Amino acid sequence: MCSIIGYSGKLVSAAPLLVEKLKKMEYRGYDSVGIATLNDGNILVSKGVGKVAEVDEEMDLNKLPGQIGIGHTRWATHGSVNDKNAHPHYSCSSNIAVVHNGIIENYQELKTELTRDGHTFKSQTDSEVIAHLLEKCYQESESNVKETMMKTCQALKGSFAFVAIFDNGIIAGARFDEPLIVGISDSALFLSSDVLGFLKYTDKSVFLDNGDIVIIDHNTYRIFDLNKRVVARPINQVAWELGKSLKKESMHITP
Ligand code: GLU
């Protein structure tokens, strides 16, 4: 079970925060790690095989510039454990990058179709189809992220959660049978598979329902269902029992 995280804020740089939070979620298990940030309209990706601290030391993950970013620790299911298969995965024109948790069951047929349309794949993962499908839908919808997310999620089969970063500064996530939580603070918004991905910065969280799609545009977030309707989800407060270690079992959720 790997971890995904997304961050859109204004107070701190994204990369050191993403690295710190990926370390907090290490207990979930993984084989490789990577992050992507947005800087001056360009999405930068850095990733590799190993522990978060090792890859950070080797690749200087925490030095990627930018205040918006996504991160991932991978537990390989499709494709061997190597740097190319580590997440995030780029679209062809690098205008989108994606981190994914779970399995895309129909990835082979989507890959065949997308390859026929001219997309080039760099990894053996099922996850990379999401990046290329988003790119295709983004192009067809004239850069409408909501439309892009709806069309992409409608085409995917399997159990998955993913977070995508777009070169216009939007971060979007989808939850289909894998966890995804929104963390809300005054100065930043977070997306994570685990509350440990944002605790310390905020205890306010929205647990997405299955089938929810969330779009974070800098300091605002909106949640939609697959029929494009805005849906309201309650904001919960995650409280820690003081004195206990940062373990999942010590967490209580109160509405
Ligand atoms: N199926 C994807 C892969 O093998 C994601 C696995 C995961 O959940 O980390 O890359």
Side-chain angles (χ1 to χ4, degrees), residues 4 87 89-92 96-107 110-111 114 119 121 123 125-138 148-149 151-153 155-157 159-164 166 172 174:
I4 49 183
H87 301 211
H89 294 289
Y90 268 134
S91 60
C92 285
I96 299 167
V98 172
V99 289
H100 160 237
N101 182 358
I103 289 171
I104 305 299
E105 281 163 13
N106 59 338
Y107 84 99
L110 289 169
K111 192 168 176 173
L114 287 158
H119 289 261
F121 284 75
S123 79
T125 65
D126 52 341
S127 315
E128 195 183 348
V129 296
I130 306 173
H132 294 281
L133 199 52
L134 285 168
E135 179 173 45
K136 181 182 167 179
C137 299
Y138 196 52
T148 299
M149 288 294 289
K151 285 238 169 76
T152 299
C153 291
L156 298 172
K157 294 198 177 97
S159 39
F160 58 88
F162 72 84
V163 175
F166 293 78

Side-chain angles (χ1 to χ4, degrees), residues 6-22:
Y7 170 79
S8 180
K10 23 181 208 242
L11 289 187
V12 296
S13 298
L17 181 143
L18 294 170
V19 169
E20 176 206 329
K21 291 300 168 192
L22 288 172

Side-chain angles (χ1 to χ4, degrees), residues 19 22 40 81 97 165 171 173 195 202 204 210 213 217 221 250:
V19 169
L22 288 172
D40 284 341
V81 176
I165 182 168
I171 290 185
V195 288
T202 181
K204 279 205 271 175
N210 211 27
I213 290 166
D217 189 351
Y221 75 94
S250 65

